[in-house]
């Protein structure tokens, strides 16, 4: 699947669901990394292809973070992170450990919101653990788990700079569309 097909799919998702996934059709095709002649041409082309997939996942994951934050804040107030809605052992402590590790490393904290330290799997867990709040948004708890699991599998190579096969690009596009389809 070419970059053009991915872009077309993104525009279709944006139009169908009234979203802005951050896709910019006017962006130049040559990426900054392509200016560095130290990298092989094949590697630069592969990086450009993978960067489009990263953009899709970046938008998806952050839109899910916002959805979860908004719903939990509406139910529990501004201090929802410390509420019983966030499982301490499975979600809160691991996220806080990631935050602490970042702070102790001396790098700039990525966020002042603890939800930004959750993994994609933990986001899904927050939804299913609090199904009473999300059942009006999604058609099925099982569908949320299934689609999230598939997305999480596809996320791995994208987040860890490994190329994926064209069929996996198609699977990602389908999984993203499915995510929005399972929303009521």
């Amino acid at each position: 699947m070419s970059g053009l097909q991915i872009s077309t799919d993104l525009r279709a998702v944006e139009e169908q669901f009234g979203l802005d996934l951050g896709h910019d059709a006017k962006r130049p095709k040559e990426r900054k990394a392509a200016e560095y002649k130290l990298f092989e041409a094949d590697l630069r082309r592969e990086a450009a292809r993978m960067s489009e997939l990263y953009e899709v996942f970046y938008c998806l994951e952050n839109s899910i973070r916002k959805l979860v934050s908004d719903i939990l804040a509406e139910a529990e107030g501004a201090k929802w992170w410390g509420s019983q809605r966030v499982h301490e052992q499975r979600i809160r402590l691991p996220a806080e450990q990631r935050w602490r590790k970042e702070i102790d490393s001396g790098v700039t904290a990525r966020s002042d919101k603890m939800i930004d330290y959750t993994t994609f799997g933990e986001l899904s867990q927050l939804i299913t653990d609090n199904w009473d709040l999300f059942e009006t948004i999604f058609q099925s708890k099982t569908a949320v788990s299934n689609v999230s699991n598939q997305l999480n599998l596809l996320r791995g190579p994208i987040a860890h700079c490994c190329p994926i096969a064209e069929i996996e690009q198609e699977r990602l596009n389908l999984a993203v569309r499915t995510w929005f389809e399972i929303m009521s």
Side-chain angles (χ1 to χ4, degrees):
M1 177 177 282
S2 72
L4 180 59
Q5 290 169 315
I6 292 170
S7 300
T8 302
D9 288 343
L10 281 178
R11 279 192 289 276
V13 169
E14 287 174 329
E15 289 173 19
Q16 182 178 359
F17 296 102
L19 301 171
D20 179 3
L21 296 176
H23 179 262
D24 183 0
K26 295 176 187 158
R27 184 172 7 142
K29 293 203 185 271
E30 290 298 313
R31 307 260 181 207
K32 189 172 189 161
E35 296 171 7
Y36 300 126
K37 299 300 178 190
L38 296 173
F39 300 114
E40 297 172 8
D42 287 346
L43 186 59
R44 291 193 313 262
R45 278 190 294 278
E46 187 174 85
R49 180 179 73 88
M50 291 303 296
S51 71
E52 291 187 21
L53 303 177
Y54 175 83
E55 283 182 49
V56 171
F57 220 97
Y58 182 94
C59 293
L60 176 67
E61 189 165 332
N62 283 291
S63 71
I64 294 170
R65 283 182 202 287
K66 182 176 181 339
L67 173 70
V68 169
S69 293
D70 290 350
I71 297 297
L72 290 174
E74 186 178 311
E76 296 292 325
K79 304 229 183 243
W80 65 267
W81 181 257
S83 75
Q84 64 184 6
R85 296 259 183 203
V86 180
H87 193 278
E88 185 172 7
Q89 295 299 317
R90 283 193 321 246
I91 298 172
R92 190 178 312 129
L93 288 177
E96 290 171 358
Q97 288 169 346
R98 288 181 207 104
W99 172 81
R100 174 53 49 200
K101 183 177 179 181
E102 209 167 84
I103 296 301
D104 290 346
S105 296
V107 299
T108 305
R110 71 182 88 163
S111 176
D112 59 352
K113 300 176 201 156
M114 292 312 298
I115 194 165
D116 291 334
Y117 291 88
T118 57
T119 65
F120 191 75
E122 290 165 347
L123 288 174
S124 174
Q125 193 68 53
L126 280 167
I127 293 170
T128 57
D129 283 354
N130 294 287
W131 189 246
D132 61 310
L133 300 177
F134 290 93
E135 66 185 338
T136 59
I137 296 169
F138 294 98
Q139 297 171 3
S140 162
K141 185 177 183 178
T142 302
V144 167
S145 292
N146 289 338
V147 175
S148 294
N149 287 338
Q150 184 173 33
L151 285 163
N152 203 26
L153 286 172
L154 293 164
R155 181 189 183 280
I158 295 166
H160 297 285
C161 300
C162 298
I164 63 173
E166 286 188 30
I167 193 167
E168 299 309 330
Q169 281 183 249
E170 294 171 18
R171 197 179 318 273
L172 175 62
N173 287 333
L174 181 59
V176 170
R177 285 195 305 263
T178 302
W179 176 262
F180 289 107
E181 286 288 331
I182 65 172
M183 296 175 92
S184 299

